[in-house]
């Protein structure tokens, strides 16, 4: 009996065929070349516990091998050995040993602009060219769909530039379409998996809601004249006598919901990548790390970090509760929601189940919670109370004056007439916010470059030959 037959699928040429290492003149299975899923599958077949990290699973299988009769563990030639009985290097799906994979992982981790600027930039450009070629190839494979889309675009372009009574409706549609597209795009940038998201709620949507809130309480109305709203806010000539939170929420509902839909769209790449990997039978190293963490959750809570415990909670919630679990994870501010997308893709949860729950949670439930919080925080009484409390902070009295000055300046702008200039210098708060905005945008661009460079390195590692990998 061949030793490889001890493992299901071991002799069929599958991706999970184990390698063998010499031990006391014989050969033993090198379980480190198997994935966590395959290790648990073998433990289940032997009736052993499947809990623990990968190293614990390997040790449990090795102990089980030692308990086998000698003729089963026999000193036989491994299926990946040559005629002299020497084991060939590598037995993993990509032809790389665990040591070689570790070396590549370390090289990939060092691909950042502040450590290897030239190499990282070079890989970034190559990844961009590769993605462009793949896009062109996909467009060519879908020539009919591309032709229909181009034809539709030409028809819309002709209608847009043709004079007639329909132009007033075209103008209304154009205005709403561009406004919705703007906020959807910002939502996508906030959550798309390109290393780190651009925090567009803090930089754009939050300040927009805050500005509308301050203006609504100052003007006692939300009927701001257009133009210049939303670029500038001017109080209408007829001002009201009262203002409610629900009125302000209605004023910014469209922007908030479009931004929420954008964040839901930005969560799709992890879902599709995990689903494609599951259908193809491949296991990405990031997914394998998550799998090791999930199946080692029986450890004492003090051995896990707060982040790891959060990942386990999200994984279990999505896997056990399904639609309602996804909805729950999407309805709260959750920086770990990418894990929910990976889990749904890995377990082949239907697209509309995942996307529908994500849209409802992010664009409806969570956005109303965030809107209510910002409006409540920036209502007139609360803003004045916050400025009053500044005096209790160290150097608080010196901070009160510029904040009051900035608030009064913004209120004055709300009452100026269209066509008149407002003379005012730029406050230090505005300068600080501009510098913060620039810094976050620059960091976002750098994270994209680093992420694409690492993606190209990972792409290359799948085509490299074992003898081209450093053995040091």
């Amino acid at each position: 009996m061949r030793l490889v037959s001890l493992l299901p699928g071991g002799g069929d040429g599958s991706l999970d065929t184990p390698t063998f290492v010499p031990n006391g003149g014989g050969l033993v299975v090198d379980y480190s070349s198997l994935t966590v899923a395959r290790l648990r599958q073998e433990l289940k077949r032997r009736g052993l516990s499947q809990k623990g990290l990968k190293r614990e699973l390997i040790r449990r299988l090795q102990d089980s091998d030692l308990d086998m009769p000698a003729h089963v563990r026999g000193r036989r030639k491994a299926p990946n050995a040559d005629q002299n009985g020497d084991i060939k290097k590598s037995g993993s799906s990509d032809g790389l040993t665990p040591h070689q994979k570790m070396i590549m992982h370390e090289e990939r981790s060092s691909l950042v602009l502040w450590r290897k600027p030239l190499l990282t930039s070079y890989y970034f450009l190559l990844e961009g060219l590769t993605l462009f070629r793949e896009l062109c190839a996909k467009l060519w494979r879908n020539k009919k769909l591309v032709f229909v889309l181009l034809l539709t675009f030409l028809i819309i372009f002709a209608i847009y530039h043709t004079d007639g009574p329909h132009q007033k409706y075209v103008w209304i549609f154009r205005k709403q379409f561009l406004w919705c597209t703007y906020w959807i795009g910002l939502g996508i940038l906030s959550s798309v998996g390109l290393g780190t998201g651009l925090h567009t709620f803090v930089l754009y949507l939050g300040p927009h809601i805050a500005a509308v809130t301050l203006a609504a309480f100052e003007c006692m109305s939300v009927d701001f004249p257009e133009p210049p709203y939303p670029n500038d806010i001017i109080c209408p000539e007829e001002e009201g006598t009262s203002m409610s939170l629900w009125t302000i929420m209605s004023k910014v509902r469209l922007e908030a919901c479009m931004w929420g839909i954008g964040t839901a769209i930005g969560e799709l790449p992890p879902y599709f990548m995990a689903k494609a990997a599951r259908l193809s039978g491949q296991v990405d190293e990031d997914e394998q790390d998550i799998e090791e963490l999930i199946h080692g959750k029986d450890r004492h809570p003090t051995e896990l970090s707060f982040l790891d415990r959060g990942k386990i909670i999200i994984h279990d919630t999505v896997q056990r509760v399904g639609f309602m679990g996804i909805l729950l994870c999407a309805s709260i501010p959750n920086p770990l929601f990418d894990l929910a997308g990976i889990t749904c893709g890995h377990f082949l949860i239907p697209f509309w189940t995942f996307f529908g729950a994500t849209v409802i949670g992010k664009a409806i439930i969570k956005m109303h919670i965030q809107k209510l919080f910002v409006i409540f925080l920036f209502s007139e009484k609360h803003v004045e109370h916050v400025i009053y409390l500044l005096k209790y902070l160290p150097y608080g009295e010196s901070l009160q004056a510029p904040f009051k000055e900035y608030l009064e300046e913004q209120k004055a702008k709300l009452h100026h007439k269209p066509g008149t200039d407002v003379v005012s210098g730029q406050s230090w708060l505005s300068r600080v916010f501009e510098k913060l905005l620039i810094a976050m945008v620059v960091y976002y661009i750098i994270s994209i470059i680093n992420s694409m460079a690492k993606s190209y390195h990972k792409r290359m590692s799948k085509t490299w030959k074992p003898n081209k990998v450093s053995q040091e």
Side-chain angles (χ1 to χ4, degrees):
M1 180 176 64
R2 300 175 65 196
L3 181 56
V4 71
S5 64
L6 294 174
L7 294 174
D12 59 358
S14 64
L15 295 177
D16 290 330
T17 300
T19 58
F20 293 80
V21 294
N23 184 26
L27 295 172
V28 296
V29 179
D30 179 17
Y31 291 106
S32 62
S33 63
L34 301 180
T35 64
V36 175
R38 288 280 287 108
L39 292 173
R40 296 202 323 275
Q41 180 183 356
E42 177 60 16
L43 286 168
K44 182 179 180 180
R45 190 182 71 85
R46 299 186 187 185
L48 302 175
S49 174
Q50 306 168 45
K51 297 181 179 180
L53 295 176
K54 185 174 182 178
R55 59 177 178 272
E56 297 169 346
L57 305 182
I58 293 175
R59 185 171 62 252
R60 200 170 295 137
L61 285 172
Q62 290 173 342
D63 293 341
S64 176
D65 287 344
L66 295 176
D67 295 335
M68 290 182 180
H71 69 278
V72 175
R73 302 194 313 267
R75 299 177 179 179
R76 303 178 185 275
K77 184 186 295 185
N80 60 334
D82 56 21
Q83 294 180 352
N84 297 325
D86 297 328
I87 300 174
K88 299 178 181 180
K89 295 180 181 179
S90 171
S92 59
S93 60
D94 50 9
L96 301 176
T97 65
H99 176 65
Q100 293 167 341
K101 287 186 176 182
M102 181 182 66
I103 294 175
M104 284 195 168
H105 180 73
E106 293 176 354
E107 292 179 354
R108 191 176 305 130
S109 301
S110 66
L111 280 176
V112 289
L113 281 175
W114 50 88
R115 296 180 63 181
K116 298 181 178 179
L118 295 180
L119 185 61
T120 303
S121 302
Y122 178 64
Y123 281 179
F124 164 73
L125 294 176
L126 292 179
E127 178 68 8
L129 291 175
T130 303
L131 293 176
F132 179 75
R133 288 197 299 266
E134 292 179 353
L135 175 62
C136 293
K138 289 181 180 179
L139 293 177
W140 180 253
R141 289 195 298 267
N142 298 275
K143 296 186 289 292
K144 294 182 179 179
L145 178 60
V146 173
F147 175 76
V148 171
L149 292 177
L150 287 176
L151 183 61
T152 304
F153 174 77
L154 290 176
I155 294 174
I156 295 175
F157 182 81
I159 294 175
Y160 179 78
H161 288 278
T162 302
D163 295 332
H166 66 283
Q167 282 298 323
K168 62 178 181 180
Y169 302 106
V170 171
W171 174 257
I172 295 173
F173 174 79
R174 174 182 177 273
K175 178 183 176 182
Q176 292 295 327
F177 176 78
L178 293 178
W179 185 239
C180 293
T181 303
Y182 172 75
W183 288 110
I184 290 176
L186 289 177
I188 294 174
L189 290 176
S190 181
S191 62
V192 70
L194 291 172
T196 181
L198 181 64
H199 302 287
T200 52
F201 181 86
V202 177
L203 298 177
Y204 295 96
L205 183 58
H208 173 71
I209 297 175
V212 172
T213 302
L214 291 172
F217 281 102
E218 175 67 19
C219 306
M220 288 300 172
S221 175
V222 292
D223 297 327
F224 311 125
E226 299 185 45
Y229 179 80
N231 296 326
D232 292 310
I233 301 177
I234 299 176
C235 291
E237 296 181 359
E238 297 182 3
E239 298 183 2
T241 58
S242 63
M243 180 55 55
S244 67
L245 298 180
W246 305 112
T247 303
I248 303 174
M249 290 181 68
S250 300
K251 182 68 175 179
V252 296
R253 179 176 292 120
L254 178 63
E255 301 94 298
C257 288
M258 292 299 104
W259 186 87
I261 292 174
T263 60
I265 296 174
E267 301 292 355
L268 293 180
Y271 169 82
F272 285 124
M273 292 174 62
K275 186 174 183 179
R278 175 65 184 273
L279 292 175
S280 64
Q282 299 176 354
V283 180
D284 187 80
E285 58 185 33
D286 295 332
E287 294 182 39
Q288 185 169 339
D289 292 340
I290 294 175
E291 194 173 5
E292 289 187 25
L293 173 65
I294 297 303
H295 294 283
K297 63 185 179 182
D298 56 322
R299 294 179 295 171
H300 194 274
T302 56
E303 300 179 19
L304 297 173
S305 65
F306 178 79
L307 184 63
D308 290 340
R309 290 197 295 270
K311 291 180 179 180
I312 292 174
I313 292 174
I314 293 176
H315 176 275
D316 292 346
T317 302
V318 171
Q319 184 180 358
R320 295 175 182 176
V321 189
F323 180 90
M324 296 305 298
I326 303 170
L327 181 64
L328 177 63
C329 293
S331 300
I332 57 176
N334 186 359
L336 302 177
F337 191 78
D338 281 352
L339 182 60
I342 294 175
T343 302
C344 291
H346 180 75
F347 288 100
L348 303 180
I349 292 178
F351 168 77
W352 287 112
T353 300
F354 170 72
F355 188 64
T358 304
V359 169
I360 294 173
K362 287 183 172 289
I364 298 178
I365 300 177
K366 190 178 78 171
M367 277 317 306
H368 278 79
I369 296 174
Q370 291 177 303
K371 277 194 305 178
L372 187 61
F373 173 77
V374 175
I375 294 172
F376 180 79
L377 182 63
F378 284 89
S379 61
E380 186 176 21
K381 293 181 179 179
H382 292 100
V383 169
E384 294 176 353
H385 186 63
V386 169
I387 295 178
Y388 172 78
L389 293 176
L390 286 177
K391 70 177 184 179
Y392 295 106
L393 298 176
Y395 306 101
E397 294 183 357
S398 60
L399 292 174
Q400 277 184 316
F403 272 99
K404 287 182 178 179
E405 180 182 350
Y406 178 77
L407 185 61
E408 293 300 327
E409 181 181 330
Q410 298 305 311
K411 289 182 178 180
K413 288 182 180 180
L414 298 174
H415 296 283
H416 83 275
K417 300 298 180 182
T420 61
D421 295 331
V422 177
V423 180
S424 61
Q426 189 181 34
S427 66
W428 68 272
L429 284 176
S430 300
R431 291 194 294 270
V432 169
F433 183 78
E434 288 181 1
K435 298 298 186 296
L436 177 63
L437 175 62
I438 294 173
M440 295 187 71
V441 171
V442 170
Y443 178 73
Y444 180 64
I445 294 174
I446 291 175
S447 69
I448 293 176
I449 295 175
N450 294 338
S451 178
M452 291 182 64
K454 293 178 181 179
S455 178
Y456 184 78
H457 184 277
K458 185 183 295 185
R459 191 190 300 270
M460 281 198 314
S461 66
K462 296 179 181 179
T463 60
W464 281 347
K465 301 297 182 182
N467 57 8
K468 292 184 179 181
V469 181
S470 174
Q471 298 293 327
E472 301 177 359

